[in-house]
Amino acid sequence: MVRPNEEVEALLQEYADLVAITGGDAFKARAYEKAARAIGGYPGDVSTLDAKGLRDIPNVGKSIAEKVVEYLRTGQVSTLEEVRAAIPAGVRELITIPTLGPKKAMALYEELRVSSVEELLDAIQAERLRDLKGFGQKTEENILHGIALMQKAGGGRILLSSAMDVADQVVSELSGIKGCEGCTYAGSLRRMRETIGDIDILVAAARSGPFMDAFAGLPYTAEVIAHGQKKTSIRTTKGLQVDLRVLPPDAWGAGLQYFTGSKAHNIRVREIAVRHKFKLSEYGLFHADSDKKITSRTEEDIYARLGLPWIPPTLREDRGEVAAGLRDELPDLIAEDDIRGDLHTHTDLTDGLASLEDMVAAAAQRGYAYYAITDHAPDLYMQRMTDAKMLAQREQVRALDGKHRKMRLLHGTELNIGPDGGVDWPDEFLAGFDLCVASVHSHFNQSREELTRRLVRACENPHVAIIGHPTTRLIGKRPGIDADFDAVFAACARTGTALEINAHPERLDLCDEDILRAKRYGVKFAVNTDAHSTTHLPYMRYGVGTAQRGWLTKDDVINTWPLQRLRRFLRPSALQS
Ligand code: DGT
Ligand code: CA
Ligand code: CA
Ligand code: ZN
């Protein structure tokens, strides 16, 4: 669970931020930022590399490699410690507020002597920010929202993917212990919620002792909070709480059902039990009057005795799943196996970290039937895209197509939706692509009317087949844009434009509730990873989990369709203009 790549990524990113905030060389800050991303996306374990090995990673030069080596050897980097010391701790706290960049944080400190979140709140209250250059009323609102987001995150919830990495490891460790008859994760993680409060692990075994001891002794256990025969809780080195419960194999189904939750779902299911004059607990389903056990061994059995089909965990949120189950109208949910391809991915032609060849090979490994490369268009000037580069890439894609016998390649692009809803290539050029994704990447603070018109206009572009990460939110960091999404969903349905479910764990955009709403308009969806590295392709599982939470079936999701049907959908249609 020690994840050296992520640790080094965070370290270099912090260094980049601190260089920026102290008014240091912007070029240097950017170099560190690039290296941070490269190491974060590097498929191997960086802690096994020496300085030379590190320098083979793109964007990692000599001095950065040396700092990484120092960190891996000593646990700290002396130059970073120096910069840290030179900046008041309060200002560093300010940088961590989502939506407030290093520049604004420094301005607040230098102009207003604000050096903590508390003082910033006071300053906003006293309207002292209004006189600062570059700060407006909208900035204030954004800062307040950022602080609220941060305080919510401070409630200790972590991203689904981070929790999943830990849980997968714990489950694999405990499954190997003698006497294990079953081991899995339950709770919000099994329901694939976008953030996780704590991890709940269940083991089925006759004797709990060996599991509890092994659990308390795991290398990443920083603190044992409670150690008992039924339940042990630990805190990991990263501050995440993990609860382990060992259940008698005979009560596995009841325990799994109970600890999977959600609490609201459990309450709804217990109401059904009461109607049958039954009693449902973590120990089993019983007759209310005699206490005689009816069943407890499997979840299927328990639901069946209540007149319900087995309800997939991703639906267990009390959003009508119990009523739908009673009517036998649960959706036949999309599964990860149904996904035939990824329709939004990048290469190192723009800001991706891997070459076209490597990305395509990794996609073929996943058994996809098709795969789209969608590098950025010219508007994101940092990427320095040109017509010639894109056309040269198309040649390469065509040449590669067929090398992986079972996988067809689509050549696409991710367009930037400009402030007025226009995109960054003319129609004639767009007509040459197999697929155009279009997304918002800037100007998040336009008015609601402008944002809505902007997205609707993008949908109306006949070449735009998919709206990428539609709200642009970053979980715990940046709120989604304030558009009238009902109007956008209606436009998508009318123009045959799919909405993306971006599977990146920091995005999961659209989120479950937006998906449910959009589906009512008859919109189609695409579950894509937006991979910028080969290591991002497996994020697909989080996108599919989110799609399930939005009650989607295969038919709702265009990248489960056979290629021919997909191509018909992608074809520019007269309807759209
Ligand atoms: P989290 O940890 O905040 O992400 O969310 P959960 O859903 O994993 O919640 P957690 O860890 O507190 O409890 C795990 C499951 O145990 C929860 O989903 C349902 C069940 N549970 C816990 N407390 C109660 C309760 O008081 N009543 C009922 N019916 N179920 C409960
Ligand atoms: Ca939990
Ligand atoms: Ca728990
Ligand atoms: Zn992208």
Side-chain angles (χ1 to χ4, degrees):
M1 173 169 352
V2 194
R3 310 259 307 172
N5 297 26
E6 282 173 21
E7 272 171 33
V8 172
E9 179 183 5
L11 195 86
L12 296 179
Q13 180 62 51
E14 182 187 349
Y15 191 70
D17 287 346
L18 294 184
V19 168
I21 192 178
T22 49
D25 182 354
F27 181 76
K28 181 173 167 189
R30 178 128 176 90
Y32 274 86
E33 209 170 305
K34 276 185 168 168
R37 287 190 349 105
I39 287 178
Y42 180 72
D45 176 350
V46 290
S47 69
T48 62
L49 300 179
D50 58 8
K52 192 174 160 302
L54 285 164
R55 290 184 59 182
D56 287 340
I57 301 177
N59 297 325
V60 177
K62 180 161 172 290
S63 111
I64 295 179
E66 279 167 3
K67 290 192 177 65
V68 175
V69 168
E70 183 188 349
Y71 174 72
L72 293 171
R73 209 178 44 231
T74 67
Q76 61 174 19
V77 179
S78 47
T79 37
L80 174 62
E81 294 304 322
E82 279 164 29
V83 208
R84 272 182 180 164
I87 294 172
V91 178
R92 274 187 277 133
E93 190 185 340
L94 293 184
I95 314 178
T96 64
I97 299 174
T99 75
L100 189 74
K103 261 204 214 116
K104 286 210 163 69
M106 204 56 192
L108 286 167
Y109 176 67
E110 285 183 335
E111 309 279 330
L112 302 178
R113 291 284 131 197
V114 165
S115 64
S116 73
V117 174
E118 286 293 291
E119 287 173 21
L120 178 54
L121 283 170
D122 289 345
I124 292 175
Q125 202 85 68
E127 301 189 353
R128 287 171 60 214
L129 268 60
R130 305 256 163 116
D131 310 327
L132 278 188
K133 212 175 128 234
F135 287 74
Q137 197 177 329
K138 196 78 194 174
T139 323
E140 281 182 13
E141 282 167 27
N142 288 338
I143 293 174
L144 289 174
H145 196 96
I147 294 175
L149 281 174
M150 186 173 72
Q151 286 169 343
K152 238 192 267 163
R157 300 192 71 82
I158 66 160
L159 290 182
L160 172 60
S161 53
S162 315
M164 192 66 90
D165 286 345
V166 175
D168 281 343
Q169 287 191 50
V170 175
V171 167
S172 107
E173 297 269 352
L174 298 181
S175 297
I177 294 174
K178 204 163 154 270
C180 180
E181 292 185 34
C183 180
T184 191
Y185 52 82
S188 50
L189 192 57
R190 187 164 179 240
R191 305 196 312 278
M192 295 285 252
R193 269 194 67 175
E194 63 193 37
T195 61
I196 303 297
D198 68 9
I199 299 178
D200 303 279
I201 306 281
L202 303 178
V203 161
R207 288 178 53 237
S208 70
F211 297 92
M212 298 305 187
D213 295 343
F215 182 61
L218 289 175
Y220 36 81
T221 297
E223 179 197 350
V224 178
I225 302 164
H227 191 156
Q229 283 309 301
K230 275 166 87 173
K231 177 179 169 190
T232 293
S233 298
I234 61 141
R235 197 175 308 285
T236 70
T237 42
K238 287 222 175 132
L240 178 62
Q241 183 174 329
V242 189
D243 297 340
L244 168 65
R245 293 180 179 84
V246 180
L247 315 171
D250 178 51
W252 173 251
L256 183 58
Q257 199 284 328
Y258 181 88
F259 291 112
T260 295
S262 66
K263 199 167 156 179
H265 170 84
N266 288 355
I267 290 170
R268 199 63 73 196
V269 174
R270 272 208 309 264
E271 283 171 10
I272 308 290
V274 169
R275 260 190 246 163
H276 284 80
K277 301 214 165 15
F278 297 159
K279 199 166 68 180
L280 179 62
S281 73
E282 58 184 287
Y283 304 106
L285 184 66
F286 302 88
H287 286 287
D289 41 12
S290 65
D291 272 348
K292 214 175 127 242
K293 180 147 86 181
I294 300 165
T295 187
S296 60
R297 204 164 179 96
T298 69
E299 280 192 329
E300 284 81 353
D301 248 12
I302 292 168
Y303 282 112
R305 291 305 194 104
L306 297 171
L308 286 162
W310 178 78
I311 299 180
T314 43
L315 295 185
R316 300 185 195 172
E317 296 290 351
D318 189 25
R319 292 176 181 155
E321 70 280 6
V322 172
L326 288 171
R327 295 193 309 267
D328 204 19
E329 282 173 10
L330 285 176
D332 188 5
L333 290 185
I334 178 180
E336 198 180 353
D337 271 359
D338 296 329
I339 298 287
R340 295 193 200 221
D342 203 327
L343 299 180
H344 177 178
T345 71
H346 298 272
T347 74
D348 60 6
L349 183 62
T350 54
D351 57 349
L353 298 163
S355 66
L356 174 66
E357 289 76 10
D358 288 354
M359 291 301 284
V360 168
Q365 275 283 314
R366 295 180 56 80
Y368 285 150
Y370 45 79
Y371 181 75
I373 298 97
T374 56
D375 272 318
H376 291 285
D379 255 13
L380 299 188
Y381 63 93
M382 301 271 256
Q383 323 291 349
R384 299 198 172 80
M385 177 54 77
T386 61
D387 295 13
K389 277 197 201 170
M390 207 41 149
L391 294 174
Q393 185 188 54
R394 185 169 305 155
E395 303 261 296
Q396 284 179 290
V397 167
R398 299 301 181 224
L400 261 180
D401 194 7
K403 287 239 167 83
H404 297 273
R405 267 190 315 125
K406 291 187 178 143
M407 190 175 79
R408 298 305 310 271
L409 295 179
L410 302 175
H411 188 238
T413 182
E414 179 183 12
L415 300 165
N416 180 51
I417 305 177
D420 62 354
V423 295
D424 37 358
W425 259 315
D427 283 356
E428 310 84 76
F429 198 78
L430 296 183
F433 288 103
D434 299 322
L435 155 75
C436 297
V437 179
S439 331
V440 167
H441 297 100
S442 64
H443 301 83
F444 306 123
N445 296 327
Q446 288 177 312
S447 72
R448 189 172 165 89
E449 292 69 33
E450 285 170 313
L451 285 165
T452 308
R453 210 172 327 122
R454 183 177 176 190
L455 284 168
V456 169
R457 213 185 134 203
C459 292
E460 287 170 345
N461 183 322
H463 296 284
V464 169
I466 301 173
I467 302 293
H469 43 75
T471 77
T472 76
R473 67 131 176 207
L474 294 177
I475 297 172
K477 286 193 182 154
R478 183 171 76 206
I481 52 175
D482 176 30
D484 173 0
F485 275 95
D486 284 292
V488 176
F489 299 158
C492 285
R494 176 166 55 81
T495 60
T497 310
L499 283 163
E500 180 171 81
I501 298 171
N502 190 296
H504 193 291
E506 224 179 28
R507 291 193 186 269
L508 298 178
D509 179 12
L510 292 178
C511 71
D512 49 10
E513 293 192 348
D514 287 341
I515 297 168
L516 279 164
R517 240 167 80 211
K519 182 175 162 151
R520 285 189 213 114
Y521 288 83
V523 178
K524 297 294 178 196
F525 301 84
V527 184
N528 298 326
T529 63
D530 196 358
H532 283 69
S533 129
T534 55
T535 58
H536 296 167
L537 292 173
Y539 288 161
M540 188 55 84
R541 73 194 281 203
Y542 306 118
V544 171
T546 304
Q548 291 179 340
R549 292 176 58 82
W551 291 51
L552 296 191
T553 66
K554 265 170 73 166
D555 191 54
D556 297 318
V557 178
I558 63 171
N559 51 325
T560 67
W561 298 353
L563 184 58
Q564 244 193 343
R565 184 176 174 201
L566 174 68
R567 280 202 194 273
R568 269 202 306 277
F569 181 89
L570 297 177
R571 210 174 291 150
S573 94
L575 258 184
Q576 300 195 327
S577 44

